Amino acid sequence: MKYYIYLIISLLIPFTSLAQFIQGQVQDEKGEGIPFVTVFIKGTTKGTQSNEQGFFSLPLEGIQGEEISISALGFAKKDFPVSEKTQTQVFVLSHDNQIFEEVVVSGTLNPVSRLDSPVPVEIYTPQFFARNPTSNVFSALQNVNGVRPQVNCNVCNTGDIHVNGLEGPYTMVLLDGMPIVSGLSTVYGLSGIPNSMIERMEIVKGPASSLYGSEAVGGLINIITKTPEKAPKISFNANGNTWGEFNIDIGQKAQIGKMAKVLTGINYFNYSFPKDLNGDHFTDLTLQKRISVFQKWTIGKSKIPPLSLAARFFYEDRWGGEMNWNKSFRGTDSVYGESIYTTRWELLGQYILTHNRDLQLSFSLNRHIQNSFYGQVPFHAKQDIGFGQLLWNKHLGSHQLLGGLAMRYTHYDDDTPATASPNDLNVNKPSITPLPGIFIQDELKINPKFTGLFGYRFDIHPIHGGIHTPRIALKYSPKQGQTIRLNAGTGFRVVNIFTEDHAALTGARKVVIEETLKPEKSMNVNLNYMTKIALNGESFLGLDLSAFYTYFTNRISPDYSTDVQEIIYRNLNGHALSQGISGNLDYKHASGIYLNAGFTLLDNTMTQNGEKIRPLLSEHFQSTWGLGFPIRRVHAKVDYTGNLYSPMKLPLLGDLDPRPEYSPWWSIQNIQITYGQSSKNWEIYFGVKNLLNYTPPKNSIARPFDPFDKQVEYDTHGDILATENNPYALSFDPSNVFAPNQRRRLFFGLRMQLD
């Protein structure tokens, strides 16, 4: 037996001596082996991974590459020249503190490390959103803890974004720090922001009115777009699914002369296949055709502060309704449909006025035009917003001073009572709101472990007068990678009903405004603890815990229950509370395994005339998660994402309404498999969305067979009668909605980029 073994070995020796390979150990600065290191031959698909002691062996036969690229979690990526030596070599990587140095701007308007920011800011990158690919920002937020995209209409599928249980109008959505996504665009325009534009997304939970003014009561979402400097030369991403949805993103950057760089992005989305799987004769998902064109310019030389300009055009044609609807029925009472044409353009820019970069001018202009019919009810509106801000930033000793002058001008006009003359509803009177403001902030570094921030803003509203919004933030860092923050502040919000509550435009309810609505005010306290821990160089663990409390006065909430035929708007005669705790856990292993998990416990209440009630569509508990791991042998990775929501109170049409008062527990879960290698700059991905095939009850739309209420009978007081054809005394109503109607579906896509 030994003879045969020696014979085989002797025969193999000539072949092994001819083979070319590289073997070695990857070590840190202290000489300790780094486990699960990724090693690739640059320009090829050939690669391997080190073992737990950092050792690896990589064949070189037939490989033309001249360098190997070595990377590991928590270490700076490094390239080494290829060597054909067979003896073990040592490759040293240096620790990379970037995981502790994520830079944010939304909390203080200053670029600062996330751990150093006195205001807690959450960061989400395109890599996070790629784990569950969607066509727009609105849908992408479904896996962010404490944030929930809320669909507000079963027919046209418009929606808003809830943060910590507060409705969409309480959250300010910024584009590159500009407050241009507001009013009409928070209802109709969020779906038009493609993910391909995003460099990162920063989320602040809690009032930020001292820096950003009105609307930043519940929090803010700052969508920071890509720059020509960081974007790939060419990018392409296309995906579709078995429901017939198709989305394509194309990006390209170019050098124009010696001083200008430009990035152009085009997004196109199409869904043109009506489906009625729940059998109510209405479309389960709104039909949509959407195009968005985005361009961003950077102009200037290296020694001259650059001018940044960006522009976007967006158009969408969407409709939902009865399955036999077409555009010939638009605005008639023959076949019910909700048809919405949206046209929007935006222009925004930033320019640093001084060489020491302490003075910056920001500006934006946008126009949003809405042409809509909800059945036979028209809604035509136009909104123009102009914004300018001069920002002064100065470092003086231990003080980081910030001051600013802001001016926001809003012109809004529609064909509803919202813009009618109070003396004559037949006379149109557009809403014109100039809103100048001034703010100042002092970030004081008391010692290496303790920082305080003090801010104040004063705005002048043409109707409500001067509005004061102070805030204070304290940060304590007991040791590296650990931060405790205490934030307190105030917020205010001026309400525009018809751009905030879609139910005011759909169904058969009459809108009643009982009084001149006063601006809502809030007081907020937030306690946050965040830590990031390196675990033996193999993995990182991040923990983020928060407790929040917000007290509202003059809260405005639609009343659906006093009269089932009306939506009554009034200031709350009492107060409202939003309080709770939330936690996020992030785990990353050098092998490529990751886990993100979050939970939020909420208690949202309104006290009206001494009676405590729970707001509609507000959950007590929500959770999100993401789990992923690589399958390196086949160059693939798996991502499993999902969310879970507790029951929410739903709008009903009276005591006889047979539909449940509360939604059940519900969850949307997804799985994705990605195949490809970053070294080749392409990926194929496919998977399943809504694994559990969850959809709301089939009777979510009340009386879908009589959408124009032609068979509804009324008594002498105008109340609906219970009849043989209408035993529950209902009218047509599509507002009972809490989850998407879209069932399980397969999806597939391709990503490519050229650097």
Side-chain angles (χ1 to χ4, degrees):
M1 183 66 179
K2 292 182 179 180
Y3 172 78
Y4 291 108
I5 295 175
Y6 291 143
L7 178 61
I8 293 171
I9 293 175
S10 64
L11 291 173
L12 289 175
I13 285 175
F15 294 98
T16 57
S17 63
L18 292 174
Q20 299 177 0
F21 63 93
I22 184 170
Q23 62 184 25
Q25 185 189 30
V26 185
Q27 299 178 354
D28 61 16
E29 302 99 318
K30 297 179 181 179
E32 298 180 358
I34 305 173
F36 307 116
V37 173
T38 300
V39 182
F40 273 101
I41 304 294
K42 292 193 68 177
T44 75
T45 60
K46 195 72 174 177
T48 188
Q49 188 181 55
S50 72
N51 63 16
E52 293 183 358
Q53 288 75 41
F55 289 99
F56 71 91
S57 179
L58 181 62
L60 298 176
E61 187 174 5
I63 300 302
Q64 302 299 319
E66 298 180 353
E67 288 184 317
I68 59 171
S69 181
I70 302 179
S71 59
L73 184 65
F75 293 85
K77 182 179 178 181
K78 191 173 181 180
D79 297 334
F80 297 88
V82 167
S83 172
E84 298 177 5
K85 297 178 181 179
T86 57
Q87 66 267 29
T88 301
Q89 302 178 71
V90 174
F91 303 90
V92 179
L93 296 184
S94 302
H95 278 87
D96 183 5
N97 292 324
Q98 185 177 1
I99 192 166
F100 296 105
E101 298 300 328
E102 298 167 304
V103 175
V104 297
V105 297
S106 300
T108 63
L109 285 179
N110 281 317
V112 63
S113 162
R114 184 186 176 199
L115 282 175
D116 288 340
S117 172
V119 179
V121 181
E122 298 178 12
I123 301 176
Y124 297 93
T125 63
Q127 290 75 23
F128 174 87
F129 297 116
R131 297 167 185 170
N132 177 35
T134 61
S135 63
N136 57 74
V137 167
F138 178 79
S139 301
L141 290 167
Q142 63 185 276
N143 288 323
V144 176
N145 181 37
V147 178
R148 180 170 64 85
Q150 168 63 45
V151 178
N152 292 327
C153 175
N154 271 305
V155 180
C156 65
N157 292 162
T158 54
D160 57 17
I161 297 173
H162 290 205
V163 175
N164 285 345
L166 294 175
E167 296 88 343
Y170 292 91
T171 299
M172 173 172 279
V173 181
L174 307 171
L175 195 64
D176 286 333
M178 303 291 172
I180 63 177
V181 186
S182 60
L184 279 173
S185 57
T186 58
V187 181
Y188 302 100
L190 285 171
S191 61
I193 302 176
N195 289 340
S196 60
M197 290 172 48
I198 300 175
E199 172 69 26
R200 71 182 185 276
M201 195 180 300
E202 298 182 1
I203 297 179
V204 178
K205 297 171 183 174
S209 293
S210 64
L211 283 182
Y212 296 98
S214 179
E215 298 175 45
V217 176
L220 69 90
I221 298 173
N222 190 4
I223 302 166
I224 299 173
T225 61
K226 294 178 180 178
T227 62
E229 292 80 9
K230 295 183 179 180
K233 189 174 183 179
I234 296 175
S235 62
F236 174 86
N237 187 1
N239 58 69
N241 61 40
T242 52
W243 268 61
E245 294 174 289
F246 176 74
N247 183 76
I248 184 170
D249 288 299
I250 300 174
Q252 188 262 340
K253 75 173 181 180
Q255 179 78 37
I256 308 297
K258 295 182 179 180
M259 295 185 61
K261 295 179 181 179
V262 60
L263 171 65
T264 303
I266 300 174
N267 170 256
Y268 175 73
F269 177 82
N270 188 306
Y271 171 62
S272 303
F273 301 94
K275 291 183 184 294
D276 177 28
L277 300 183
N278 65 5
D280 62 3
H281 194 56
F282 269 70
T283 52
D284 292 339
L285 181 66
T286 303
L287 289 298
Q288 299 175 53
K289 294 178 182 178
R290 181 171 68 237
I291 187 166
S292 178
V293 181
F294 171 78
Q295 197 167 73
K296 194 169 188 177
W297 290 71
T298 300
I299 304 171
K301 295 183 178 180
S302 58
K303 295 183 180 180
I304 301 176
L307 168 66
S308 176
L309 288 173
R312 185 171 74 102
F313 173 79
F314 162 67
Y315 177 78
E316 182 183 72
D317 175 359
R318 71 161 60 196
W319 74 269
E322 294 185 87
M323 291 291 289
N324 58 334
W325 187 91
N326 60 56
K327 291 187 178 181
S328 66
F329 296 109
R330 193 172 194 259
T332 71
D333 64 352
S334 301
V335 179
Y336 188 88
E338 298 185 0
S339 173
I340 303 166
Y341 303 153
T342 302
T343 304
R344 179 177 176 83
W345 61 260
E346 302 161 352
L347 174 68
L348 56 153
Q350 293 180 335
Y351 184 63
I352 299 173
L353 299 173
T354 56
H355 285 279
N356 58 5
R357 299 177 180 268
D358 59 2
L359 198 62
Q360 176 179 295
L361 176 66
S362 302
F363 57 89
S364 66
L365 296 168
N366 71 85
R367 168 166 288 185
H368 190 110
I369 299 174
Q370 205 70 41
N371 179 347
S372 314
F373 276 93
Y374 301 87
Q376 61 182 141
V377 178
F379 176 67
H380 299 89
K382 183 176 72 171
Q383 177 180 272
D384 296 313
I385 298 178
F387 175 77
Q389 179 172 273
L390 186 64
L391 192 67
W392 173 77
N393 196 340
K394 191 69 174 179
H395 187 81
L396 294 176
S398 58
H399 296 266
Q400 184 69 48
L401 299 176
L402 179 77
L405 297 172
M407 179 65 184
R408 184 175 178 182
Y409 175 89
T410 303
H411 181 280
Y412 176 78
D413 191 16
D414 64 23
D415 51 7
T416 74
T419 56
S421 170
N423 300 320
D424 187 351
L425 295 180
N426 295 317
V427 176
N428 189 50
K429 187 178 181 181
S431 171
I432 299 175
T433 309
L435 190 63
I438 183 172
F439 57 90
I440 188 169
Q441 175 180 280
D442 181 13
E443 184 176 338
L444 173 62
K445 198 170 186 66
I446 300 172
N447 57 50
K449 293 185 177 182
F450 193 80
T451 302
L453 182 145
F454 311 91
Y456 171 78
R457 182 181 181 112
F458 179 71
D459 292 90
I460 302 176
H461 193 276
I463 298 175
H464 306 293
I467 302 175
H468 308 266
T469 49
R471 78 163 169 175
I472 182 172
L474 304 174
K475 180 185 74 72
Y476 174 65
S477 301
K479 59 182 181 180
Q480 172 70 20
Q482 206 173 87
T483 303
I484 301 171
R485 301 179 178 91
L486 177 65
N487 280 239
T490 63
F492 76 97
R493 187 174 75 94
V494 178
V495 178
N496 188 326
I497 291 171
F498 290 90
T499 63
E500 297 183 4
D501 194 340
H502 186 70
L505 299 171
T506 59
R509 292 176 182 256
K510 179 183 178 182
V511 175
V512 177
I513 303 174
E514 285 195 341
E515 58 190 1
T516 300
L517 299 177
K518 301 175 183 177
E520 295 184 350
K521 297 182 180 180
S522 69
M523 294 179 289
N524 172 272
V525 178
N526 183 296
L527 179 64
N528 172 261
Y529 170 78
M530 188 176 77
T531 184
K532 285 192 173 183
I533 306 168
L535 304 175
N536 301 321
E538 298 181 12
S539 56
F540 283 91
L541 179 67
L543 186 64
D544 192 325
L545 299 172
S546 292
F548 53 90
Y549 176 92
T550 305
Y551 182 94
F552 291 93
T553 56
N554 294 338
R555 175 75 179 266
I556 298 170
S557 182
D559 178 1
Y560 292 85
S561 57
T562 299
D563 190 325
V564 298
Q565 297 183 68
E566 296 180 340
I567 308 175
I568 303 173
Y569 293 90
R570 63 171 78 91
N571 285 110
L572 193 68
N573 184 18
H575 65 272
L577 286 177
S578 173
Q579 56 189 337
I581 58 174
S582 67
N584 288 292
L585 181 145
D586 296 310
Y587 174 79
K588 295 180 181 179
H589 195 273
S591 64
I593 298 173
Y594 74 86
L595 170 65
N596 309 125
F599 76 91
T600 302
L601 287 171
L602 292 165
D603 182 24
N604 287 349
T605 60
M606 293 188 295
T607 301
Q608 170 83 355
N609 298 322
E611 180 184 358
K612 184 180 291 187
I613 57 176
R614 180 179 171 185
L616 296 174
L617 299 170
S618 176
E619 67 274 20
H620 277 312
F621 172 84
Q622 69 160 276
S623 177
T624 59
W625 65 84
L627 172 65
F629 57 89
I631 309 176
R632 297 190 183 276
R633 291 182 180 179
V634 293
H635 307 296
K637 58 182 178 180
V638 178
D639 295 286
Y640 168 56
T641 58
N643 49 50
L644 175 67
Y645 300 103
S646 67
M648 311 171 194
K649 189 175 182 180
L650 304 175
L652 299 181
L653 295 177
D655 296 335
L656 297 178
D657 195 327
R659 296 175 296 179
E661 184 179 3
Y662 287 90
S663 66
W665 286 83
W666 62 281
S667 175
I668 302 295
Q669 301 177 26
N670 318 284
I671 192 166
Q672 174 183 253
I673 298 174
T674 305
Y675 172 78
Q677 293 181 310
S678 57
S679 60
K680 295 194 70 174
N681 294 324
W682 64 267
E683 289 181 332
I684 297 172
Y685 55 94
F686 56 92
V688 182
K689 287 184 179 289
N690 196 2
L691 277 167
L692 303 181
N693 202 29
Y694 181 80
T695 55
K698 294 181 179 181
N699 62 347
S700 294
I701 299 179
R703 291 182 62 82
F705 54 87
D706 184 23
F708 296 100
D709 291 338
K710 294 182 179 181
Q711 302 174 30
V712 175
E713 298 182 22
Y714 302 87
D715 63 16
T716 55
H717 300 287
D719 297 324
I720 298 176
L721 291 172
T723 63
E724 183 177 353
N725 288 330
N726 190 10
Y728 303 113
L730 304 179
S731 61
F732 173 73
D733 181 44
S735 64
N736 187 296
V737 57
F738 60 92
N741 255 324
Q742 205 170 7
R743 296 192 175 188
R744 184 189 297 124
R745 58 214 181 269
L746 302 177
F747 69 92
F748 43 88
L750 170 67
R751 299 186 190 97
M752 300 177 65
Q753 70 177 42
L754 176 64
D755 295 323

